[in-house]
Amino acid sequence: MNISGFAAHKPKTLLKEFSYTGQLNPNDVLIQITHCGICHSDIHLIDNDWKISKYPFIPGHEVIGLVKGLGDGVEHLSEGQRVGVGWQAGACLNCEFCLQGDENCCSQNQPTCVGRNGGFAEHIIIDSRFAFPIPKKLESENAAPLLCAGITVYSPLAKFVRPKQKVGVIGIGGLGHLALQFARAYGCEIIAFSGSQDKKKEALSFGAHHFVSTKEINKTKESVDILLSTVSADIDWPKWLHVLRPNGKIIVLGASPSDIKVSPGVLIGGQKSIIGNNIGGRAMMVEMLNFAARHGIKAKTEVLPLAQVNKAIEKVRNNQARYRMVLKVR
Ligand code: NAP
Ligand code: ZN
């Protein structure tokens, strides 16, 4: 079938209308897209920051839509059902990591928009085992960003955090504003660290107990057990390690461009660690969606029609999104 959308053709250029032919294999599902969030990873892919982009390609990996076709082997989804798709489009499903629920760590982990086309489009065809039913309580517009931003901040909280702990979130953007909501629902004390003073009121409304300007970080007396870094730019890692309490962990979520340089002594002294986290597995995704529905967690979105995709991308590039741009496809 012919699928149309907006594709990147070269790094750092505007997306242009584009169509391709999609084929429904036995395990696949055809989804008619209604909404797609714009994650900063889409910007990294469009710009080829990670040197993995394959042009032309349609970005978009926070997809929600309705099932419009099923491959012969698909029995767990039905026509008309509302489903979502995130960063991951496939994995081997047989290796040690897949079998323990870490499909995101599979060596055959297939990203939705690398070597294939994503959700800034009318339709997407995807392995049905990476299409997730969306709980009824969640509205598509606010739930689409959960498929990448939501799972990415939820999974480290589920793995590393206990309710008695203090959690800091650096960068209150798409990931960050959801991290505040999830950490609040977990019962933690939360500090929002932001370079945008105008976000203070909303950061507190998302669940932060305290708001600290990242420009004042040298002066802050606050310290935390877990620090989620969602910043897409470079940050001063040694400085942030000083904000950690003993046994504290920095969870690296944002794809800062430069190497992380810290002296071993700073890690050893307070038994501190720096840990990477890549989205989350399929079981974690289902858990996160149910948790969000139960606790009323939803992305604060600005919605634009698909045709205005370049305007929406520009807002993300300029840190003007409050807090997630979502494209409405139909
Ligand atoms: P976003 O909506 O653009 O938010 C990033 C936030 O970082 C901004 O709102 C801003 O917060 C802060 N920031 C931006 N530029 C900055 C700069 N030059 N200096 C300091 N702070 C800056 O992006 P996002 O969609 O949340 O994604 C954030 C990062 O996570 C991206 O690098 C993305 O690729 C990555 N990501 C990783 C995973 C994973 O699995 N690990 C999954 C999804 C996304 P303030 O205004 O509050 O300072
Ligand atoms: Zn993403």
Side-chain angles (χ1 to χ4, degrees):
M1 102 174 254
N2 195 48
I3 296 179
S4 54
F6 286 83
H9 289 75
K10 275 194 271 177
K12 300 180 200 288
T13 53
L14 297 180
L15 304 195
K16 288 192 218 145
E17 283 188 78
F18 176 74
S19 65
Y20 68 100
T21 306
Q23 189 193 325
L24 196 67
N25 292 315
N27 280 322
D28 288 347
V29 57
L30 167 68
I31 302 167
Q32 185 181 56
I33 299 173
T34 61
H35 298 81
C36 188
I38 304 182
C39 173
H40 210 107
S41 298
D42 290 314
I43 312 295
H44 292 304
L45 285 180
I46 292 167
D47 293 351
N48 201 15
D49 287 342
W50 301 330
K51 310 288 177 242
I52 57 169
S53 305
K54 293 176 185 159
Y55 301 92
F57 72 96
I58 298 179
H61 58 274
E62 290 184 341
V63 180
I64 288 190
L66 302 176
V67 172
K68 287 289 162 183
L70 294 162
D72 292 343
V74 183
E75 291 178 354
H76 67 291
L77 298 175
S78 51
E79 288 262 342
Q81 189 173 2
R82 190 171 60 134
V83 293
V85 175
W87 172 262
Q88 190 168 5
C92 81
L93 301 183
N94 291 314
C95 71
E96 175 191 350
F97 296 101
C98 285
L99 292 178
Q100 69 191 28
D102 291 328
E103 297 88 353
N104 48 325
C105 297
C106 174
S107 63
Q108 290 173 50
N109 169 11
Q110 168 63 61
T112 300
C113 313
V114 180
R116 29 167 303 121
N117 292 295
F120 298 173
E122 300 282 338
H123 296 88
I124 189 168
I125 293 175
I126 190 138
D127 185 328
S128 60
R129 294 161 299 184
F130 288 86
F132 301 92
I134 303 297
K136 276 206 177 70
K137 268 195 186 171
L138 298 175
E139 285 174 34
S140 298
E141 169 188 322
N142 314 106
L146 296 176
L147 274 305
C148 180
I151 182 68
T152 301
V153 297
Y154 178 84
S155 64
L157 291 174
K159 286 190 275 193
F160 302 118
V161 174
R162 289 158 62 206
K164 67 163 194 167
Q165 292 184 308
K166 279 175 95 171
V167 172
V169 179
I170 319 173
I172 310 305
L175 267 62
H177 90 293
L178 285 168
L180 297 178
Q181 296 182 54
F182 278 114
R184 184 60 180 244
Y186 249 74
C188 302
E189 184 177 347
I190 306 151
I191 306 175
F193 293 101
S194 171
S196 308
Q197 196 60 34
D198 64 303
K199 292 181 178 174
K200 179 174 180 177
K201 197 171 155 206
E202 277 170 316
L204 298 177
S205 78
F206 294 137
H209 296 88
H210 318 279
F211 181 95
V212 175
S213 165
T214 45
K215 290 163 198 144
E216 307 273 301
I217 194 64
N218 284 332
K219 294 187 223 154
T220 188
K221 293 198 172 53
E222 301 286 2
S223 61
V224 297
D225 300 292
I226 301 281
L227 198 47
L228 300 178
S229 172
T230 76
V231 178
S232 49
D234 284 330
I235 63 171
D236 187 335
W237 298 97
K239 238 185 232 177
W240 285 103
L241 279 166
H242 285 294
V243 177
L244 284 186
R245 304 177 70 210
N247 292 325
K249 298 173 176 50
I250 294 185
I251 315 286
V252 183
L253 303 174
S256 314
S258 305
D259 292 348
I260 298 176
K261 286 189 186 149
V262 295
S263 96
V266 182
L267 298 178
I268 294 167
Q271 299 199 134
K272 298 176 180 179
S273 37
I274 301 178
I275 300 172
N277 192 83
N278 178 27
I279 49 166
R282 294 186 300 160
M284 190 71 87
M285 182 74 97
V286 173
E287 182 182 311
M288 180 276 301
L289 288 168
N290 289 329
F291 187 97
R294 197 160 60 246
H295 291 279
I297 291 169
K298 49 187 185 179
K300 186 165 167 49
T301 57
E302 284 187 58
V303 182
L304 285 177
L306 176 61
Q308 291 187 33
V309 60
N310 287 310
K311 183 176 171 193
I313 286 173
E314 199 54 25
K315 290 193 87 170
V316 181
R317 282 190 189 282
N318 297 329
N319 195 17
Q320 288 169 342
R322 295 293 183 272
Y323 284 78
R324 196 46 131 202
M325 301 308 300
V326 169
L327 300 169
K328 187 165 167 30
V329 180
R330 66 181 57 242

